[in-house]
Amino acid sequence: MNYISTRGAGIGERHTFSDILLGGLAKDGGLYLPADYPRVSADELARWRTLSYADLAFEVLSKFSDDIPAEDLRALARRTYTADVYCNVRDGESAAQITPLKPLGVESGAPLSLLELSNGPTLAFKDMAMQLLGNLFEYALAKTGRTLNILGATSGDTGSAAEYAMRGKQGVRVFMLSPHKKMSAFQTAQMYSLQDPNIFNIAVEGVFDDCQDIVKAVSNDHAFKANYKIGTVNSINWARVVAQVVYYFKGYFAATKSNDERVSFTVPSGNFGNVCAGHIARMMGLPIEKLVVATNENDVLDEFFKSGVYRVRGSAETYHTSSPSMDISKASNFERFVFDLLGRDPARVLQLFRDVEEKGGFDLAASGDFARVREFGFVSGSSTHADRVGVIRDVYQRYHTMIDTHTADGLKVAREHLQAGVPMVVLETAQPLKFGETIREALAREPERPAAFAGLEALPQRFEVLPGDAGQVKAFIAANVRG
Ligand SMILES: *Cc1c(COP(=O)(O)O)cnc(C)c1O
């Protein structure tokens, strides 16, 4: 399996899965994709139907990473997808399923269900990929004798998923910046209660943007970056995308009785990482009818899939919503889909994403390309805060199921795209406990709390408060990497 950049660099060169694992963007600023998508045969699909999650993950991953010995990869997948790690299931469910499918009911002739992706350690779907990444990093570093110091900024979700994935991993340290006293008590406790010696929580005196500026400043100090082996775990990482392909297969098998059926998926979207994995599953031959992109008030993607116009927003036009993990104004994985949409023409991709930088967007409506969006199965919709509150209430009353704001966004949009006889699977991307404020508003009660989270806020916390100054952050990293 060879990887190429969406902007054309490296065509004719060889990049294996391991080569791109620890890196971010390609040299030319593009994103890596396989030179060809592997196809899944009818025989394979039949065999995969009954596999455990871990063994299914091995089968899917091995199609993208033929440079890793099969026995190593299988052991890695089995170590990652265990009932112990994905233990935060609701009453009566089996943790061994990793991503249980919860049927809700039949609406407009379509069986409607939730695919639970949020039973991992941080109660959000990012655990699905990040946990694998932690084990892949440890494996790759041990092979080469290298170490890695991950530097990141978080306002909550991604940072905690990264910390829980990397805790205790050999050769990896995490330095995570978060805004001091600006996160919810739950989010703060989730991150700061980690006592692992390789996890460093840095509470920056400032806001989230200050944290991000520091990460940029440190990354732009190339000497420091090389000296201290600084890396990141952002959502464009290819291994994260490919790990997410697995649960589309799992969800498909759970929602159908035979491989002749087709299934639609609705995906609460921000950076387009999750639904990009669905696109890849479909390109591999999984019988997916529709891929429904659901956004909140930050509707860059909905606008594109309705009009062909991609117009990124500035920070003044990016709203803080009750589904904050989708408050994104520029979808970092979108370029991967555009590459396929344009028939894999890197010169045109380069031009379009130059237009994004220089003119704030591009318009594919006039060219014939936009019409092909439907051939790839894509449709879209968006929700408002009032929609999400209404859906949370409705689902609780009608189906006795408590859902979070992101999943509510998905369900609202899914209902606009139901087709009789075609199962609709909505990806559940977080548990309600993470977004308790809206649960209290919608249901006038506390969110459900998995047993492992009892008393979380009272645990001792370990963090370092630093001023919003890149120099002091560098000094802190230097002291802890040597020590
Ligand atoms: C990250 C996240 C999303 C958005 O996923 P993308 O891959 O960025 O599209 C949706 N819901 C939750 C809860 C998330 O944490």
Side-chain angles (χ1 to χ4, degrees), residues 124-126 157 268-274 325-326 404 406 429-430 435:
F125 94 98
K126 294 198 172 60
D157 270 2
S269 294
N271 267 322
F272 206 76
N274 198 350
S325 302
M326 296 159 58
D404 96 295
H406 303 75
T429 56
F435 306 97

Side-chain angles (χ1 to χ4, degrees), residues 123-126 157-158 235 240 244 267-276 301 323-326 328 332-333 404 406-407 428-431 434-435:
L123 307 183
F125 94 98
K126 294 198 172 60
D157 270 2
T158 313
S235 78
R240 276 182 68 180
Q244 294 169 173
V267 189
S269 294
N271 267 322
F272 206 76
N274 198 350
V275 74
C276 186
L301 290 169
S323 46
S325 302
M326 296 159 58
I328 306 245
S332 54
N333 276 291
D404 96 295
H406 303 75
T407 311
E428 181 185 59
T429 56
Q431 288 204 25
K434 298 203 85 164
F435 306 97

Side-chain angles (χ1 to χ4, degrees), residues 92-210:
E93 288 175 352
S94 154
Q97 290 183 36
I98 310 298
T99 58
L101 187 80
K102 185 177 182 70
L104 294 178
V106 177
E107 295 187 15
S108 307
L112 182 62
S113 53
L114 299 177
L115 186 64
E116 296 178 13
L117 306 178
S118 51
N119 296 337
T122 75
L123 307 183
F125 94 98
K126 294 198 172 60
D127 290 330
M128 293 305 303
M130 208 72 93
Q131 289 286 323
L132 180 79
L133 206 62
N135 285 323
L136 276 170
F137 275 17
E138 186 177 52
Y139 172 82
L141 292 168
K143 270 209 149 169
T144 55
R146 286 190 292 166
T147 59
L148 178 68
N149 295 304
I150 293 168
L151 176 65
T154 188
S155 53
D157 270 2
T158 313
S160 57
E163 291 188 353
Y164 279 78
M166 303 297 164
R167 62 189 296 198
K169 294 282 179 275
Q170 291 293 320
V172 187
R173 290 186 195 83
V174 178
F175 295 90
M176 191 58 66
L177 312 185
S178 50
H180 188 37
K181 296 188 174 159
K182 300 280 189 319
M183 296 187 294
S184 71
F186 178 83
Q187 284 178 318
T188 308
Q190 210 179 11
M191 291 179 55
Y192 294 4
S193 64
L194 286 177
Q195 301 293 333
D196 307 73
N198 70 326
I199 304 295
F200 298 91
N201 278 302
I202 303 175
V204 173
E205 292 172 323
V207 294
F208 172 64
D209 284 337
D210 298 318

Side-chain angles (χ1 to χ4, degrees), residues 307-467:
S307 70
V309 175
Y310 183 63
R311 184 178 64 85
V312 301
R313 323 283 206 247
S315 47
E317 255 192 292
T318 306
Y319 310 109
H320 292 283
T321 74
S322 53
S323 46
S325 302
M326 296 159 58
D327 292 348
I328 306 245
S329 45
K330 193 175 169 188
S332 54
N333 276 291
F334 185 52
E335 186 170 330
R336 289 193 159 110
F337 171 66
V338 172
F339 184 63
D340 287 340
L341 181 67
L342 299 181
R344 301 201 138 207
D345 178 346
R348 285 193 63 206
V349 172
L350 178 65
Q351 186 54 53
L352 289 181
F353 284 87
R354 262 198 199 137
D355 290 349
V356 170
E357 295 308 322
E358 288 162 15
K359 302 179 205 154
F362 55 75
D363 181 353
L364 292 184
S367 67
D369 305 301
F370 181 62
R372 295 190 62 218
V373 159
R374 301 289 175 256
E375 289 170 32
F376 286 94
F378 277 94
V379 290
S380 69
S382 68
S383 76
T384 63
H385 175 71
D387 291 330
R388 294 187 291 274
V389 169
V391 168
I392 290 171
R393 213 172 270 152
D394 170 74
V395 169
Y396 193 70
Q397 285 164 0
R398 208 191 301 199
Y399 299 122
H400 313 291
T401 300
M402 197 186 276
I403 57 171
D404 96 295
T405 47
H406 303 75
T407 311
D409 166 87
L411 205 55
K412 186 265 176 185
V413 176
R415 282 172 162 162
E416 297 164 356
H417 294 282
L418 298 174
Q419 288 168 282
V422 180
M424 172 62 84
V425 175
V426 177
L427 302 193
E428 181 185 59
T429 56
Q431 288 204 25
L433 180 59
K434 298 203 85 164
F435 306 97
E437 204 180 311
T438 309
I439 297 297
R440 285 186 283 274
E441 179 187 342
L443 305 177
R445 62 194 304 149
E446 288 301 310
E448 289 159 357
R449 184 178 277 252
F453 290 80
L456 176 76
E457 290 88 337
L459 293 175
Q461 300 189 354
R462 175 172 170 267
F463 60 98
E464 180 85 12
V465 182
L466 290 181

